[in-house]
């Protein structure tokens, strides 16, 4: 082998979506709009749950943390270029699209942290819905705040530890084939293609680790919804069935979209998952799902919509009072 083939890549170039200037402008406007709406929606939901005492229940604590993870996956510390969306937006018009190996690992770590934590939070939410619908009289004992905090803490611990192992495995690879990543962020599959070391061990360990927590969380979701649906269809009251279905419909929709996109992306053989085929699915689970979640959980949730309506009415009432009191003060 020549000396050139032995040289190891220490920085990469994120190729992004396209080099067409017109398409770059259009995509920038679209993704910038998605970014703004996603951040406002998720952080607004977090603030709403934090400020409203009526929403301090296990279900909404899980939901608040899910929204927090979705916003964090989009917006990490920009000075370290470890964020996904701001870095992607910057690269549309930047001549310098380089990212160092360290920054690439940090970016992948935070994305993997958010995805793993989301998996555990969605499983915890499924269990919460199971207890609420199938064991309503025992809800406060089976789903106590102490257990809620333990499950949330466990989700974050799993989220922190899992990507540590994946990043550690990535660092054993040497990248000498190319320095161009055909993607808009550092993901594990494009990095495997650039490795001059056989990534078989990495693929095997990712399959075992990621497969284990995916099977674990999906099993919890499926078992929970099996009992939920069984309980709903055995209810005699149509009103009760409708209320129970509306309670868990938003969560089931979010779970289906999230797990469906992840399984489609990572469960396929590496020969199928090549090049530009990664990008559409990656857009879906990194941008579209965080955008949809706050709308799925707020617009389809009566408690959240009632709180929003009450806040709007309260603000309108305060504005009317100010308008009335201003002439009197003068």
């Amino acid at each position: 082998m020549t000396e050139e083939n032995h040289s190891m890549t220490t920085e990469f170039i994120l190729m992004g979506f396209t080099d067409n200037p017109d398409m770059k402008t259009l995509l920038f406007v679209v993704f910038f709009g998605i970014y703004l709406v996603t951040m406002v929606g998720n952080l607004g939901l977090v603030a709403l749950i934090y400020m409203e005492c009526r929403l301090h229940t296990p279900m909404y604590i899980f939901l608040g943390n899910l929204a927090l993870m979705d916003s964090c996956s989009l917006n990490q510390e920009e000075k370290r270029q470890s964020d996904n969306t701001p870095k992607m937006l910057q690269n549309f018009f930047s001549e310098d699209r380089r990212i160092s190996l360290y920054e690439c690992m940090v970016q992948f770590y935070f994305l993997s942290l958010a995805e793993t934590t989301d998996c555990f939070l969605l499983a915890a939410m499924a269990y919460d819905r199971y207890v609420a619908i199938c064991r309503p009289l025992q809800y406060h004992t089976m789903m106590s705040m102490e257990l809620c905090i333990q499950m949330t803490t466990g989700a974050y611990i799993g989220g922190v530890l899992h990507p540590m192992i994946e990043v550690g495995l990535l660092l054993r690879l040497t990248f000498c084939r190319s320095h161009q990543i055909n993607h808009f962020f550092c993901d594990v599959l494009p990095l495997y293609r650039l490795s001059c070391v056989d990534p078989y061990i990495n693929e095997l360990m990712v399959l075992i680790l990621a497969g284990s927590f995916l099977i674990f969380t999906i099993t919890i979701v499926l078992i929970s919804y099996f009992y939920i649906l069984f309980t709903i269809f055995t209810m005699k009251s149509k009103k009760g069935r409708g209320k129970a279905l509306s309670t868990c419909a938003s969560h089931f929709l979010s779970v289906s979209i999230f797990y469906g996109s992840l399984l489609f992306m990572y469960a396929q053989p590496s020969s199928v998952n090549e090049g530009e085929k990664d990008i559409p699915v990656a857009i879906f689970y990194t941008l579209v799902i965080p955008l949809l979640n706050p709308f799925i959980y707020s617009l389809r949730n009566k408690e959240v919509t009632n709180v929003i309506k009450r806040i709007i009415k309260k603000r309108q009432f305060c504005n009317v009072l100010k308008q009335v009191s201003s002439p009197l003060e003068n």
Side-chain angles (χ1 to χ4, degrees):
M1 294 178 67
T2 63
E3 184 179 348
E4 183 181 352
N5 290 335
H6 280 290
S7 62
M8 187 178 72
T9 301
T10 57
E11 66 178 16
F12 304 99
I13 295 177
L14 293 171
M15 299 305 294
F17 298 96
T18 180
D19 291 324
N20 187 314
D22 295 331
M23 283 298 296
K24 279 185 177 181
T25 304
L26 176 62
L27 289 173
F28 175 82
V29 172
V30 171
F31 288 125
F32 183 65
I34 290 174
Y35 174 71
L36 286 181
V37 174
T38 302
M39 294 303 295
V40 170
N42 281 290
L43 294 179
L45 191 58
V46 171
L48 188 70
I49 293 170
Y50 177 77
M51 292 186 298
E52 183 58 46
C53 295
R54 296 184 185 184
L55 300 181
H56 291 178
T57 61
M59 178 63 182
Y60 292 105
I61 290 173
F62 293 140
L63 177 56
N65 283 278
L66 185 70
L68 183 64
M69 280 292 98
D70 285 343
S71 59
C72 286
S73 67
L74 290 177
N75 193 36
Q76 298 296 333
E77 301 168 73
E78 183 153 358
K79 64 181 180 180
R80 294 162 68 179
Q81 297 184 8
S82 62
D83 47 333
N84 291 331
T85 308
K87 178 64 177 173
M88 178 188 71
L89 294 173
Q90 176 190 333
N91 285 344
F92 275 118
F93 301 109
S94 174
E95 294 295 330
D96 184 9
R97 291 181 287 181
R98 291 176 300 172
I99 183 170
S100 71
L101 178 62
Y102 163 74
E103 289 166 345
C104 191
M105 295 298 107
V106 172
Q107 188 183 71
F108 171 72
Y109 175 85
F110 280 109
L111 177 65
S112 183
L113 185 153
E115 288 176 357
T116 306
T117 306
D118 280 358
C119 284
F120 287 114
L121 288 172
L122 288 169
M125 291 167 74
Y127 175 75
D128 175 81
R129 291 302 84 200
Y130 156 74
V131 177
I133 293 172
C134 303
R135 300 284 189 272
L137 298 178
Q138 299 171 304
Y139 181 80
H140 292 292
T141 54
M142 291 182 67
M143 198 66 230
S144 62
M145 287 301 295
E146 183 181 356
L147 178 60
C148 171
I149 292 170
Q150 289 174 352
M151 293 173 78
T152 305
T153 304
Y156 280 106
I157 292 173
V160 168
L161 293 180
H162 170 246
M164 279 186 180
I165 298 172
E166 287 207 27
V167 169
L169 289 169
L170 277 174
L171 291 174
R172 67 172 283 274
L173 303 178
T174 52
F175 304 97
C176 55
R177 290 182 179 174
S178 172
H179 63 286
Q180 295 181 345
I181 298 179
N182 189 24
H183 217 298
F184 61 94
F185 69 93
C186 288
D187 199 8
V188 64
L189 296 178
L191 288 172
Y192 284 168
R193 298 186 193 109
L194 301 183
S195 173
C196 54
V197 177
D198 187 359
Y200 172 75
I201 295 176
N202 291 62
E203 292 176 342
L204 181 63
M205 290 303 296
V206 167
L207 182 65
I208 293 170
L209 291 170
S212 297
F213 80 75
L214 274 175
I215 290 171
F216 173 71
T217 53
I218 290 174
T219 301
I220 292 174
V221 171
L222 291 176
I223 292 174
S224 297
Y225 273 97
F226 172 79
Y227 283 106
I228 287 170
L229 292 174
F230 180 79
T231 303
I232 289 173
F233 289 120
T234 54
M235 289 178 178
K236 296 180 180 180
S237 169
K238 289 184 178 180
K239 186 178 179 180
R241 283 200 297 268
K243 186 177 179 181
L245 281 171
S246 64
T247 301
C248 58
S250 56
H251 176 257
F252 185 74
L253 178 61
S254 180
V255 164
S256 302
I257 295 171
F258 180 76
Y259 282 114
S261 59
L262 280 185
L263 290 173
F264 184 83
M265 182 71 178
Y266 295 108
Q268 297 183 81
S270 57
S271 60
V272 176
N273 235 339
E274 290 183 356
E276 295 181 356
K277 294 180 182 180
D278 298 342
I279 294 178
V281 185
I283 290 172
F284 202 75
Y285 72 79
T286 57
L287 296 175
V288 177
I289 292 176
L291 170 69
L292 293 178
N293 274 344
F295 296 100
I296 290 172
Y297 285 109
S298 59
L299 296 179
R300 294 185 57 87
N301 191 302
K302 288 184 178 180
E303 286 185 71
V304 175
T305 53
N306 288 338
V307 169
I308 294 172
K309 288 176 182 177
R310 191 166 63 251
I311 291 172
I312 293 171
K313 287 180 180 179
K314 188 176 179 181
R315 289 185 65 87
Q316 289 174 344
F317 179 71
C318 290
N319 290 334
V320 170
L321 282 179
K322 286 180 180 179
Q323 291 173 2
V324 172
S325 60
S326 294
L328 294 174
E329 289 176 358
N330 295 333

